[in-house]
Amino acid sequence: MELIKIIGHAGISLVAEAGGNSDNQAVLLLHNHQQTRHEWAALARRLMHTGFYVVSLDLRGHGDSGWNEDYSLSALADDVHAVLQTLPDKPVIIGSGLGGKAALLAAGRENQRSGMDIISAMIMIDVHSRSDIRLDKQTLYRGGRDLKNLIDELSNHIGGASNTSMLHKYLRLRTPGVWHWHSDPGIESTAAVSTWSDIELEQVTATLDIPMLLVQGDERKCWLEQLAKTIPGATLLTQPGTRQWLSTSAELDGFDLAILRFIESRCAPTLPARADTRLLRRTLGAFATGVTVITTTDEHGKPVGLTANSFTSVSLDPPLVLFCIDKRSASLKIFEKSQAFGINVLNADQQDISQRFASRNEDRFADTPWEMWELKVPIIQNTAASFECAKHHVVDAGDHLIFLGRVHHSWLDSQRSPLLYFQGGYHHVQRH
């Protein structure tokens, strides 16, 4: 792997190791508080051998990355977002503790802002035993000139490491000839640490629609259990044992193997040849569209809906329209089974409805006025236009399905301006 530097939030210098074929599926590895990118060394090697492109990051204030006064979860999330912008495609993220929380916040913010998922899957782990953290950080922060003595002291503090040659990676030369603990002492301040749990992760994760695995050890149940209850479709795995806080083993453990099984079951390491996906997404964003909410009902008559801007007219005779759904959408199966759907073109004052139906709110219709017409699908009231359609045909197209509908009934309010979506944000029509 090679060292790379990335500019993070507010210009901070972030250091990462990258390896593998950059044309393949990317995996971003994020460590926990008081760790470094070296925590993932064994897993990173295995992922690269399997064919993935791997980037392992030192969080701000850790390892070789820069120090700063701001160690809030918000700043860490902005750093993760900056790293994601440098990757050629939507990566899989594997995050431990603090790193995982920062990634969740970064992905959730972007989804709430643009309605898009910027990662393809998420694995969060919290499997470290707290009992082996007996580090005399004052001694380690003060440092010393004898590297061997510091390594021996570090080994004793974590119960005797089996591979002490790895421990030098947790020390760094910050002053000439003097070795210090790898992280900024400022991270230990009460003000900084307290902000890491202040953020309500439930709010940001509610908008994510990605495969997610949450892994905890069976000796210490953790916050992931509560998080699993708030994320529909997330898989909670309790794995036997715990992991030392500082990793010194060159071998994969049971937690690594569980992560590998999850990734390999959902992601092919080699991606087909294609245009730069991130550049393509930004380029397609130059085409301004309206914003619609597509609606139908499930087999029990419960209303279902989602926000989409992939809507267009197809034919006047017969009257056909289409929209597209991502194959990963939780609502896909319901739309496949339904024989009718509604297309609701939102007006400029209905941005809140767009955001509501782009989130994972359990009852999106509770605060949305709607009615039913002949085909018994929900039609949102006060829109700029609405179409009631019978399903005509479904076409498989890459990572989406195209639904063609025959318009049964349409309605227009010519006095209402439409809501627009352009370059990742909402806009309004300026009438002249």
Side-chain angles (χ1 to χ4, degrees):
M1 299 179 79
E2 64 173 339
L3 281 180
I4 59 174
K5 291 188 176 181
I6 303 166
I7 302 302
H9 174 63
I12 195 169
S13 176
L14 303 174
V15 173
E17 285 185 307
N21 187 342
S22 60
D23 290 332
N24 290 354
Q25 172 66 57
V27 179
L28 177 60
L29 302 173
L30 301 171
H31 61 78
N32 201 352
H33 169 227
Q34 290 290 354
Q35 297 178 346
T36 71
R37 64 184 187 275
H38 303 296
E39 293 302 313
W40 294 115
L43 182 60
R45 287 192 296 270
R46 177 62 174 271
L47 287 168
M48 286 189 295
H49 179 75
T50 306
F52 292 95
Y53 175 61
V54 179
V55 176
S56 187
L57 178 72
D58 278 337
L59 300 177
R60 63 169 54 204
H62 295 77
D64 294 310
S65 287
W67 291 8
N68 192 274
E69 294 180 356
D70 186 359
Y71 293 111
S72 64
L73 186 60
S74 179
L76 291 162
D78 287 339
D79 288 343
V80 172
H81 191 273
V83 174
L84 291 174
Q85 298 303 308
T86 70
L87 298 178
D89 202 356
K90 294 192 292 186
V92 176
I93 290 185
I94 303 173
S96 176
L98 176 62
K101 289 182 179 181
L104 269 183
L105 181 56
R109 279 176 171 173
E110 179 61 29
N111 186 281
Q112 290 181 332
R113 184 189 70 82
S114 68
M116 298 171 58
D117 290 322
I118 56 174
I119 60 178
S120 60
M122 178 82 192
I123 301 166
M124 295 191 62
I125 74 167
D126 195 338
V127 298
H128 295 93
S129 171
R130 296 294 190 267
S131 63
D132 67 344
I133 304 304
R134 302 188 303 276
L135 300 179
D136 181 1
K137 293 191 180 69
Q138 292 304 316
T139 298
L140 292 171
Y141 284 136
R142 186 168 60 250
R145 295 181 180 274
D146 191 326
L147 179 60
K148 182 180 183 304
N149 284 345
L150 282 176
I151 289 176
D152 288 342
E153 183 176 357
L154 188 55
S155 175
N156 291 333
H157 276 307
I158 61 174
S162 59
N163 182 8
T164 57
S165 65
M166 288 285 293
L167 292 179
H168 77 278
K169 297 179 183 294
Y170 297 96
L171 301 168
R172 61 192 292 186
L173 284 168
R174 290 208 60 84
T175 53
V178 180
W179 293 89
H180 298 266
W181 181 240
H182 70 89
S183 63
D184 184 352
I187 296 174
E188 295 299 313
S189 69
T190 303
V193 174
S194 65
T195 61
W196 294 344
S197 58
D198 286 345
I199 188 71
E200 295 184 10
L201 289 176
E202 295 180 18
Q203 293 182 352
V204 294
T205 56
T207 67
L208 297 176
D209 188 15
I210 55 173
M212 189 174 296
L213 176 67
L214 310 176
V215 184
Q216 65 179 3
D218 65 352
E219 294 182 17
R220 190 183 67 84
K221 302 301 173 61
C222 64
W223 62 280
L224 292 180
E225 285 195 347
Q226 180 58 36
L227 184 63
K229 297 175 183 178
T230 68
I231 306 176
T235 300
L236 177 66
L237 175 65
T238 301
Q239 184 75 14
T242 58
R243 177 184 285 178
Q244 273 194 338
W245 195 265
L246 301 184
S247 175
T248 61
S249 174
E251 304 297 324
L252 299 177
D253 62 14
F255 301 108
D256 292 323
L257 294 175
I259 290 169
L260 281 170
R261 286 193 295 270
F262 180 83
I263 292 180
E264 292 173 353
S265 69
R266 286 163 172 78
C267 304
T270 304
L271 300 174
R274 66 203 186 285
D276 183 320
T277 305
R278 194 172 295 279
L279 174 61
L280 178 61
R281 185 181 296 117
R282 291 199 300 267
T283 306
L284 291 172
F287 180 64
T289 70
V291 181
T292 71
V293 170
I294 313 298
T295 55
T296 191
T297 55
D298 65 13
E299 57 187 356
H300 304 294
K302 180 181 177 180
V304 175
L306 53 85
T307 300
N309 63 347
S310 55
F311 161 72
T312 189
S313 61
V314 176
S315 168
L316 289 177
D317 187 15
L320 299 177
V321 296
L322 70 77
F323 71 93
C324 305
I325 297 184
D326 192 314
K327 289 180 179 177
R328 297 171 301 167
S329 171
S331 304
L332 178 64
K333 296 298 182 183
I334 297 174
F335 278 94
E336 286 185 296
K337 292 179 180 179
S338 177
Q339 296 305 306
F341 54 82
I343 298 174
N344 304 273
V345 181
L346 301 184
N347 75 58
D349 296 322
Q350 292 180 315
Q351 182 175 326
D352 60 327
I353 294 179
S354 172
Q355 293 171 327
R356 184 179 308 136
F357 279 81
S359 75
R360 273 188 152 168
N361 190 319
E362 287 298 307
D363 191 355
R364 300 170 178 175
F365 289 86
D367 297 318
T368 306
W370 59 281
E371 59 194 49
M372 280 188 172
W373 296 346
E374 284 186 49
L375 299 185
K376 304 302 180 184
V377 294
I379 302 296
I380 295 176
Q381 296 176 357
N382 305 318
T383 57
S386 292
F387 302 87
E388 184 184 46
C389 305
K391 187 162 66 178
H392 181 73
H393 191 49
V394 178
V395 179
D396 190 318
D399 55 11
H400 281 63
L401 290 184
I402 300 173
F403 285 75
L404 287 113
R406 185 175 184 126
V407 178
H408 182 75
H409 182 71
S410 62
W411 179 86
L412 170 69
D413 185 342
S414 59
Q415 299 303 307
R416 295 185 186 273
S417 296
L419 180 64
L420 299 183
Y421 196 75
F422 172 70
Q423 294 286 30
Y426 293 103
H427 297 268
H428 298 161
V429 172
Q430 297 295 323
R431 293 185 180 272
H432 298 285

